[in-house]
Amino acid sequence: MAVSSYIGRFAPSPTGPLHKGSLLAALASFLDARANGGQWLLRIEDIDPPREPAGAADLILQQLDEHGLHWDGPVLYQSSRLPAYKDALQQLSEVGLLYTCYCSRSRLRTLGGCYDGACRSNKLHSHISDKPYAIRLHLPEKSIIAFNDLIQGPLAFDLHKTGDFILWRRDHLPAYQLACSLDDGFQRVTRVIRGSDLLDSTPRQLHLLSCLGLAAPQYAHIPVLKNAQGQKLSKQNHAPRLDSSNVQTNLLDCLKLLGLSPSTELNTASIQQILAWAIEHWRFSHIRPSAC
Ligand code: GLU
């Protein structure tokens, strides 16, 4: 059998235990990787210590294991990658793409989510004061990013709608866009499957990958699970932790949300049998993008 060059990944932030919404993203990326004979990597995005309760990363590993979602190779912890993120900043700074931004949170709030480039004339290493600063990426004039999402279809975004974005935070932490793009490149990920709440990050990550000279993966954004108030299930919205005593039911519920129709016989099947059935029946065409 030919060896597949497919590399997929699940990349949770350890801000708490997995809930049903995060299981949905883990399962979709796992099934797609396995259905394509590919590798499925696990990356713990632990770059925001103030938001990471002790033990959350270990709990996530345990929950994935309990659900039969076994990853390939060692886990990559982003907290071990700080030197690589700094090297990437250096690379971008050498080609003049970075600047320091001293704008306060209150000023940024007045901009309605679109940065106006007010700090663009700042040089990266000429700190004008002791004020905290972030590091932003200077976007080019032409900023339309088009890509074909494997679930949502062809999409195009104008990066100027959100403006020059942050790569290094004013609290001295790497920003998600930098760490995620660089590590998708570093791990040679060929396909990213994740929730549609991250859809607006994709054009920024595609642009950053291109600035860094890294190959872009394909993307597929699945619908996100919402609570009764229509908000995305998340730790901030107090989504309940996955019930470990109901692993089969958790998996079957997620399969239905991914458009599969498991037969009632699977209600009494083992985790391995459920996953084997799901790998065989997995298709993007079953997923309703409109549910996003
Ligand atoms: N770490 C991000 C999160 O947990 C996901 C990153 C990604 O899949 O690109 O929301």
Side-chain angles (χ1 to χ4, degrees), residues 41-85:
L41 308 181
L42 178 60
R43 181 167 84 224
I44 297 290
E45 300 208 320
D46 53 348
I47 46 167
D48 196 354
R51 291 181 58 229
E52 294 159 5
D58 287 345
L59 187 52
I60 290 174
L61 268 54
Q62 184 192 319
Q63 290 177 299
L64 290 172
D65 210 43
E66 281 166 358
H67 286 79
L69 304 180
H70 305 304
W71 55 92
D72 295 308
V75 179
L76 181 69
Y77 290 87
Q78 288 193 321
S79 53
S80 70
R81 297 265 303 146
L82 290 178
Y85 305 146

Side-chain angles (χ1 to χ4, degrees), residues 9 11-13 45 176 180 194 198:
R9 51 68 158 181
S13 304
E45 300 208 320
Y176 159 66
C180 180
R194 60 187 177 190
L198 290 167

Side-chain angles (χ1 to χ4, degrees), residues 160-237:
H160 284 303
K161 282 228 160 94
T162 43
D164 296 347
F165 55 92
I166 289 180
L167 299 187
W168 205 265
R169 294 165 31 169
R170 68 213 302 269
D171 51 3
H172 311 296
L173 295 169
Y176 159 66
Q177 305 297 356
L178 174 68
C180 180
S181 312
L182 195 69
D183 286 343
D184 281 337
F186 172 68
Q187 296 189 285
R188 300 182 192 284
V189 170
T190 59
R191 193 174 285 181
V192 169
I193 305 207
R194 60 187 177 190
S196 58
D197 55 316
L198 290 167
L199 193 52
D200 64 350
S201 287
T202 300
R204 282 178 268 181
Q205 294 178 4
L206 281 168
H207 176 64
L208 194 46
L209 283 163
S210 137
C211 293
L212 290 165
L214 296 168
Q218 292 179 303
Y219 292 90
H221 290 86
I222 61 165
V224 293
L225 266 188
K226 300 198 173 139
N227 64 17
Q229 289 74 45
Q231 301 158 318
K232 182 202 156 194
L233 276 199
S234 69
K235 285 140 222 166
Q236 290 83 346
N237 293 330

